[in-house]
Amino acid sequence: MATPSVVDATPVAAVPVKAKRRRLRFIASPKAAIGLGMMAFFVILAIIGPFIAPYDPSERSNALVEAPSAAHWLGTTHLGQDVFSQLVSGTRSVILVGLLAGVIATILSLLVGVTSGYLSGAGAESLSALSNVFLVIPALPLIIIITSILPETTDVTIALVIGLTSWAWGARVLRAQTLSLRRRDYVEAARATGEKTWRIIIFEIMPNLTAVIASNFIGTVIFAVTSEITLAFIGVNTSGDNWNWGTILFWAQGQQALAQGAWWWFVPAGLAIALLGTALSLLNFGIDEFVSPRLRGNGKSKVKTVDGHTVRMRVGFTPVLGFGRKDDTL
Amino acid sequence: MSYLLKRVAFYVFTAWAAITLNFFIPRVMPGDPVQSLITRSRGQMTGDAVQSLYVLFGLDPNESLLSQYVKYWGQLFRGDLGLSFTFFPSQVGEVIGQALPWTMALVGITTVIGFLIGTTLGTLAGWRRGSWIDALIPVTTFLSSIPYFWLGLIAIALLTGPDSFFPAGNGYDTGLTPAWDWEFIGSAVQHSLLPAITILISSMAGWILSMRNMMVTVASEDYVTVAHAKGLPERRVMVGYAARNALLPNVSGFALSLGFIVGGTLLVEIVFSYPGLGFLLFQGVGTKDYPLLQGIFLIITLSVLLANFVADLAYMLLDPRTRREG
C-alpha cells in the first residue's frame, strides 16, 4: 500500500498516463486468491480423482484396518479398502452435488427473488411469503425425510432435493436487493424510455446483483456439500460404489473406528470437508470485501498523537495528528 | 400490535404448510412404501398398524385425496402420529415425547449461549478492528466449516477414554434411573458437556462474523460520532449506541438461521449417542421408520416455529419502531 505514494512523488508521474483498469482486482485480495486457489485444486481433483486413485475405492484386500504406510498412504478400512483412494475418488461426488445443487438453488432464488422484488401485487407478495415459509422450515430434516423415502438415490437426485429445498435464503436476499434497486434513477430512466420489463430486469438490475448472486451461490454450495456429507454419514445414499467423504465417515462410525484408534479413517475426510468449506468461505469474504470496502480489515489501527496518547482509528473519525505544533502544516 | 398479529398469522400459515408438506411427501413418491415395509417387518405388524400406515401414506385406493387429508388432520389432533416400527408397538408420539426434553435442554441452551458469546466477541472485534480479536475470525471460519458431527468425533477421540472425566456417549450414567435427584442431574450435565462444547464451537463463528460486520457499518453512523463527541465513555458508546443497533439484524438473523442450526446440532446427538431427537432420527433412517421420521420432522418444525416467535418478541422489545406502528 505504501508503494504508490512513492511513485506519485516522482516527476515522471506528471505526464498524463491513461489510468489502467485493474481487471483482476478481485484476486488482489489475499483471501479471495487463497480461496480461489484451493477451490481450483478441489475441482481438478474432482475431475481427475478417479483416474489418479492408486486403488479401486471398493476393492477389498487382506490388509485390514492398517495404519498409513507406503502402500496405503492413509491406511485401510475394515475390508482392506484404501482410504486414500476413497478420499480422492469421493471428491467428484462432493463437488458435483455441491455445484449442481448450487446452480439449481441459485436459478430458483433468482426467479423467485427478483420477480417478487421487482414486480408488485398479490403474486409477488405470495412468492415472498413462500420463500419465508421455506426459510423457516428446517431444511436438513426435510432433506433427510425426502431422500430416505425415495426408493433409490443417486448423486443427481440428492443434488435435486438439496437444490429444491435450499433456495429460500438466496431469494430473500435477492428480493431485498432488488427492492432497493428498482427505484434508482437509472431504472426509472429505463422505464421512462419504454424499455420492456424483462429487459430492465436482465440488463439494468441483474448486473448490479452479480456480487449478491455470486456470494449466494457459494453459500448454497457450502450448505449442499455439508448436507450431502451429512446424508451419507447417517446412512442415506451409501450403497454400492458411490463414494463420497460422508460415506467414508459412515463406515468409520459404523465400524467403531474411534474405539479401534483408527484415526486415519475419519480424520482425513473431515479435514477435507473443513478445507473445502474454508476455501468457499474465503471466496465469500473476498466478494463481501470487494463489494463493501469498509469490511476490509485494515492493518494499522492505532496512531500515536503528538502528546503521546495512542488513539484508535475508527471509521468516520479523522485524527488530527499535528495538534499543538504551529510549524506543522498537517 | 399489528406487527405481532402479522407474525402470528405467518407462523400459523407456515405450520399449516409444513403439515401439508408432510402429508404430501409420501404420496408423490414413486413406489409403494407400505408394501416394502410389510415385507421388511416379516409379519410382525397387526392389521391395525397396516391400516394406520395406509392412512398415513394415503395409499388406500378407496379414498379420495381430500378425505385422506381430513383424516390425516383428525389423526394429528388426537396426537396420533402412527406406530413406530423401530420401537414397535410404541406410539410415535410417545417415543418422541421421551426424546424431546433432552434435545430441548441441549440444543436450546447451547444455541442461546452460542449466540450470546458470539455476539459479544463480534461486538469487540467490530469495535476494535485490527486487534487480536479480529485475528480470531479466520480461525473461527475454519472451525465453522467443520461439520458439527466431525468435530464431535474428534472430541470423542481426543478427550474421552476409560479414565477421562468426559463420557463418550449416552445422556446419563446407564446405572442410574431417570429421576429429579442431584445424582442424576449431575450425571446428565456431565454427559452433556462435551456435546454442548462441540455445538458452541461450531455455531459461534457465524455470529461473530455477522456481528462484526454490522458493528463496522454502525460505527460510522452519525449518532455514534455524536456520542463520542459528547464525551461519553468508550464502553457506553460501544454497548449502548453501536451494539444496540447492530444487534437488530443479528436477532432477526438468529430467528432465520435456527432451522439450519437445529439441523446441524441434531447430528451431534448422533455422534454422542445422546438420547434426543437427532439420535432418534438416525435410528429412524437406519430402519426406514417413516412414521417416526415424519413425526420428528413435524415436531422439529413446530419447535423451530415457536423459537422463531420468541425471537420475534425479543426483536419487538429491542426495536421500538415495531411497537409504534398500529
Side-chain angles (χ1 to χ4, degrees), chain B residues 170-177 187 191:
Chain B
N170 287 321
Y172 52 91
D173 202 328
T174 36
L176 298 171
T177 43
S187 160
H191 278 74

Side-chain angles (χ1 to χ4, degrees), chain B residues 256-268:
Chain B
L256 289 174
S257 51
L258 261 176
F260 292 98
I261 300 172
V262 169
T265 47
L266 291 179
L267 292 197
V268 175

Side-chain angles (χ1 to χ4, degrees), chain A residues 237-282:
Chain A
N237 196 23
T238 42
S239 57
D241 292 340
N242 194 352
W243 288 98
N244 68 50
W245 300 340
T247 326
I248 302 174
L249 293 172
F250 169 74
W251 289 111
Q253 167 88 343
Q255 297 300 321
Q256 308 285 327
L258 283 173
Q260 299 183 38
W263 55 267
W264 59 86
W265 202 347
F266 61 89
V267 170
L271 278 182
I273 300 165
L275 279 178
L276 180 60
T278 311
L280 289 164
S281 310
L282 283 175

Side-chain angles (χ1 to χ4, degrees), chain A residues 4 66-67 74 88 90 127 148 171 181 190 195 201 257 272 316 318 325:
Chain A
E66 270 183 13
L74 291 175
V88 170
L127 273 182
S148 56
L181 286 178
E195 224 173 286
I201 290 181
T318 313
R325 256 201 269 169

